[in-house]
Amino acid sequence: MSGGDLNPAAVPLPVEDRQGDGRWMSQHTRFVQECKDGEPEVLFVGDSMVQLMEQYEIWKEMFSPLHALNFGLAGDTTCNVLWRLQNGELENIRPKVVVLWVGTNNHDHTAEQVAGGIVAIAQLLTNRLPKAKIVVLGLLPRGEQPNPLREKNATVNRLLRSWLPRLGQALFLDVSNEFLHSDGSISSQDMFDYLHLTPTGYNTLAKPLSDLLLQILEETPEERRASLV
Amino acid sequence: MSAEASNPAATPTPCEDSQGDGRWMSQHVRFVSECKEREPDVVFVGDSLVQLMHQFGIWRQLFSPLHCLNFGIGGDATQHVLWRLSNGELDNISPKVVVLWVGTNNHGHTAEQIASGIMEIVQLIHNKLPNAHTLVLGVLPRGRMPNPLRQRNAEVNKLVQDALSSLSHASFFNVDPGFVLSDGSISHQDISVHYHSGLRPCFQRALPSAL
């Protein structure tokens, strides 16, 4: 695993309020409050890919019924998610599954650093929630045509696939290939700005993710204990 | 109010590809090609608030039937929209209405500069499409509690509304249905909820009268 404690992508950092309306902190504060009010079985955490999901019908149809909370924040890097999780967004809750989707905004870091940052978050989640499964979603390809960020995100995914098994509770789900056409292009029907998903795009991800979550949720500790007897 | 060469908000500027995947240009090229293929009656142009609208049910219900095109790009400021409209996004089409919604991303610019940038866009649209009416939507308040950006956006709206009042080919429309509550706060309620319950009635009033 790369970087150790020198990996900049694994350093917890809040987002500076450069624009002047304090929106990042307002959202973080709201999430901390939601931890006090709610008892989620599933926690989604990450960047705009997570946040936007809650705006579409698919959330109400497939994930709300699972008692899910959405702590996605647009623009977040692994550093920002790490900071949020260490500063209240895991307090008072005991979800059975955490879905983690972050890394595409880490523009200042190499693929190795980004993968290291994601693993660091997964490690933190496992430490704080020893019984929870962590579902890490692969970074999707971006840009209409092949470009360096596609290479980078694919490398992150490759590294995650090989590093995550070391954390017993972590699972990796990557639907990247579903979005690439034979000529290497990505359609605006799936990603309206060649990064963010349309409702159609989310449908492609939602089915395998929902199946996986249902499978995990069906294995409650009570059932596991019973099966060991 | 005139746009001086020194106003960055009124100087056509493409977005730099700082991330490395060329997405801004890909979207612009797609919009230019939509102009060649389609015959819209209404064109929406602006930032993420325009772009996201296209993703929600409200678009299919209210706007698709009106033969609309959506040229919103997330993050765009007035100078980016000015560049796009100067470089193909108004070519080969003759819409009756252009809906312009931009200004909230002009960070570092004063309210005067932003308003000037918006008026520069209105002038450009009128030059290219003399028969079209431009509907300029007010910039929404932002941030959970009162903050400098709310003041800036309110000032932009005031300046733009004043400047538009003397024009016959353009008008101002306030789409804020009362997002700011009595305690000064804005609810975080989902964008989609805002679009559907908050903005929908505003749009329903605005467009029929403009067309």
Side-chain angles (χ1 to χ4, degrees):
Chain A
M1 224 154 295
S2 81
D5 51 7
L6 296 176
N7 179 2
V11 174
L13 287 172
V15 167
E16 269 184 59
D17 180 23
R18 272 194 231 105
Q19 294 174 0
D21 55 11
R23 291 182 307 112
W24 191 86
M25 196 52 76
S26 295
Q27 292 172 89
H28 164 65
T29 302
R30 185 175 95 234
F31 296 156
V32 173
Q33 187 58 45
E34 284 179 27
C35 283
K36 297 185 184 137
D37 302 333
E39 286 175 9
E41 302 242 291
V42 186
L43 176 68
F44 282 72
V45 67
D47 53 30
S48 61
M49 306 301 286
V50 172
Q51 187 169 32
L52 191 55
M53 214 188 313
E54 197 177 11
Q55 304 304 318
Y56 294 153
E57 281 303 302
I58 194 96
W59 184 263
K60 264 203 298 282
E61 280 165 23
M62 291 195 130
F63 301 115
S64 270
L66 304 180
H67 304 289
L69 277 188
N70 187 309
F71 289 177
L73 239 176
D76 266 17
T77 63
T78 52
C79 305
N80 308 135
V81 168
L82 210 41
W83 188 93
R84 294 198 278 123
L85 293 176
Q86 289 180 353
N87 285 272
E89 291 184 23
L90 289 177
E91 298 294 317
N92 305 303
I93 55 172
R94 278 228 209 78
K96 295 194 174 122
V97 193
V98 180
V99 179
L100 173 63
W101 203 9
V102 68
T104 201
N105 295 321
N106 281 60
H107 296 298
D108 295 341
H109 305 140
T110 64
E112 288 74 16
Q113 290 171 332
V114 177
I118 294 168
V119 171
I121 298 171
Q123 183 68 72
L124 169 76
L125 289 167
T126 296
N127 294 347
R128 294 287 302 265
L129 304 165
K131 299 207 181 82
K133 281 276 195 284
I134 317 298
V135 175
V136 178
L137 297 183
L139 303 187
L140 295 184
R142 48 186 289 173
E144 192 186 15
Q145 299 296 339
N147 64 82
L149 287 188
R150 288 221 200 151
E151 305 301 317
K152 182 181 174 191
N153 283 3
T155 302
V156 171
N157 291 343
R158 196 173 39 78
L159 292 168
L160 288 175
R161 213 178 279 277
S162 101
W163 292 347
L164 284 173
R166 292 177 215 180
L167 301 176
Q169 298 290 89
L171 302 164
F172 184 64
L173 176 62
D174 180 27
V175 297
S176 294
N177 288 334
E178 306 288 326
F179 294 104
L180 295 170
H181 290 237
S182 49
D183 63 354
S185 69
I186 286 177
S187 164
S188 60
Q189 300 295 309
D190 286 326
M191 295 183 188
F192 58 85
D193 60 357
Y194 310 108
L195 171 61
H196 295 104
L197 297 168
T198 61
T200 304
Y202 273 113
N203 283 337
T204 301
L205 165 70
K207 188 74 179 51
L209 177 57
S210 164
D211 286 347
L212 180 56
L213 292 178
L214 286 169
Q215 199 183 316
I216 296 170
L217 290 172
E218 270 156 33
E219 297 167 6
T220 63
E222 291 73 30
E223 279 172 11
R224 261 192 246 118
R225 273 201 298 279
S227 69
L228 287 172
V229 169
Chain B
M1 186 183 316
S2 68
E4 296 127 21
S6 58
N7 179 4
T11 308
T13 314
C15 216
E16 268 185 59
D17 180 20
S18 55
Q19 294 174 0
D21 54 13
R23 295 182 306 109
W24 191 87
M25 195 53 75
S26 294
Q27 292 170 84
H28 166 65
V29 166
R30 182 173 99 229
F31 297 158
V32 172
S33 115
E34 282 176 25
C35 283
K36 294 182 186 141
E37 295 157 12
R38 311 271 296 274
E39 288 174 8
D41 285 331
V42 187
V43 176
F44 280 74
V45 68
D47 54 32
S48 63
L49 288 178
V50 172
Q51 186 167 41
L52 274 176
M53 215 190 313
H54 199 179
Q55 304 307 318
F56 298 133
I58 190 178
W59 188 265
R60 236 188 349 269
Q61 290 152 25
L62 278 191
F63 303 123
S64 288
L66 301 177
H67 305 289
C68 293
L69 283 185
N70 186 307
F71 291 172
I73 296 187
D76 264 18
T78 54
Q79 62 272 22
H80 305 125
V81 169
L82 205 43
W83 189 93
R84 295 198 277 122
L85 297 182
S86 306
N87 285 274
E89 290 183 21
L90 290 178
D91 296 354
N92 305 301
I93 53 174
S94 36
K96 299 191 178 107
V97 185
V98 178
V99 181
L100 173 64
W101 204 10
V102 69
T104 203
N105 294 321
N106 279 67
H107 300 298
H109 301 159
T110 63
E112 288 75 15
Q113 287 174 322
I114 300 170
S116 243
I118 290 171
M119 293 314 294
E120 188 72 6
I121 298 171
V122 171
Q123 185 61 53
L124 173 72
I125 295 169
H126 186 56
N127 293 345
K128 287 203 164 234
L129 303 170
N131 298 324
H133 187 88
T134 298
L135 199 56
V136 181
L137 304 187
V139 188
L140 292 178
R142 50 185 288 171
R144 200 183 80 83
M145 298 306 297
N147 63 82
L149 288 188
R150 283 213 205 157
Q151 287 151 27
R152 184 201 71 180
N153 285 1
E155 184 63 19
V156 168
N157 289 343
K158 188 173 162 307
L159 291 167
V160 168
Q161 187 163 15
D162 286 345
L164 289 174
S165 58
S166 57
L167 302 179
S168 58
H169 58 83
S171 44
F172 179 82
F173 195 73
N174 177 13
V175 286
D176 178 356
F179 284 127
V180 181
L181 306 175
S182 53
D183 65 351
S185 71
I186 290 178
S187 156
H188 75 276
Q189 280 231 308
D190 307 338
I191 299 173
S192 60
V193 172
H194 280 321
Y195 277 125
H196 289 99
S197 64
L199 295 174
R200 186 210 296 257
C202 297
F203 284 122
Q204 276 172 323
R205 283 200 301 279
L207 283 185
S209 53
L211 287 172

